[in-house]
Amino acid sequence: MRVPLLDLSEQYRALAEPIRAQLEEVLGSQSFILGPKVEAFEEAIGRYCGAPNAIGVSSGTDALLAILMALEIGPGDAVITSAYSFFATGGCIARVGATPIFIDIDPETYNISPAALERYLTTSCRPNKDGALLSPQGTTVRAIVPVHLFGLCCEMDAIHRISEQFQLDVIEDAAQAIGAECSFGGVTAKAGAMGEVSCFSFYPSKNLGAAGDAGMVICRDDALAQRLRSCRQHGMEPRYYHHFIGGNFRLDEIQAAILGVKLPFLDGWSAARRVVADFYREEFKRLGLTNQFSIPAEPYRNLGLTNHHIYHQYAVRTPQRDGLREHLTRKEIGTAIYYPLALHEQECFSYLGYRAGDFPEAERAARETLALPMYPELPRESQRYVAEAIAEFFA
Ligand SMILES: *Cc1c(COP(=O)(O)O)cnc(C)c1O
């Protein structure tokens, strides 16, 4: 049996008609960039996430880049993030001329460890006479980028407390976590609505995927939102007058129209992903496998939240990861490694001077995690086949 890592064709077939109608409408209107479809989708995302401002952009990467540019983070500044994420999180910090500072992860959740973050800020950084926080390298620490990896929110209460104490902006990288919830300040909050400003990606394989590249920024502050709107059009306001340097980070109508059709189904898809995760757990238990490898933690499961996890990825962990992967490949089961290297181990970041062993948990996760097939329509017989193939490997 062939089991792909991800297969969204059934999802597309179910929505093909309304999506095609939207395409017809956009093509007929000949309005392709930042038109009514983008506006409607921005409003829908703002409402969905509980954020007063939503700014459609060209990708998740461009969302992060635009955020850093709009906050005027650049040379001499430093931004803290997780050592274990997709490259864009670190790459954007470096692209604006700032210095990425990596922090190790919590081995249970794979998200940035608030304890490690606090230890770094307390023991390695010091305030200067103007109250700015200086890193050991002398850069000004401006912001923290928590990444809600695999669809699970970071410990945002702890991160918020730390960011308040050290007066740092919180920029959520919610690219993998649209709709994910956690408890924040005693109430339920959605990923992206807890920091000053946040990014989403609608890359086709994300939980809410476009038919190409697309992204979104959401933020609380109206002035920052205005600046971001301007930033996505080269810092232009009005036309051909440029107050600062931005880029072409625009979202196009076709992507916004398609995403607008899909958004109402997102919560149903997330629920279906949780059902898949529950069935994996049952099968792994039934086969006596849960001592052989670890399955994803669900730290918020008992808080009464709906989207306590949205399972963008279902990552298991074992020291025998590479062998298991080979075995599953032979069985025609799709798997992926997110990510084979921690960010501080990437060649392009060698100039930062990190060494192997600096972030042991991020490095271990990069060696041991394996993403199994996960999508809302994944059939139970496929899941049984995956579980049995894993049992065969460990037998
Ligand atoms: C996908 C992703 C991004 C970048 O989004 P793109 O739309 O691919 O540019 C950034 N951060 C994380 C954690 C991601 O998973």
Side-chain angles (χ1 to χ4, degrees), residues 24-84:
E24 281 291 318
E25 206 184 299
V26 172
L27 293 169
S29 77
Q30 289 292 297
S31 167
F32 293 119
I33 302 270
L34 297 186
K37 300 289 181 195
V38 169
E39 254 178 55
F41 181 58
E42 287 175 340
E43 212 183 286
I45 287 288
R47 221 177 309 119
Y48 178 77
C49 296
N53 297 288
I55 301 105
V57 292
S58 34
S59 69
T61 303
D62 287 346
L64 273 170
L65 194 59
I67 289 168
L68 295 167
M69 290 171 88
L71 291 172
E72 296 182 273
I73 289 173
D77 293 331
V79 177
I80 296 177
T81 193
S82 167
Y84 186 58

Side-chain angles (χ1 to χ4, degrees), residues 59-62 64 85-86 88-89 147 149 173 175-176 201-203 206 213-214 339:
S59 69
T61 303
D62 287 346
L64 273 170
S85 179
F86 176 58
T89 318
V147 182
L149 204 72
D173 182 340
Q176 300 186 3
S201 164
F202 307 119
Y203 183 77
K206 297 282 157 83
D213 279 308
Y339 299 92

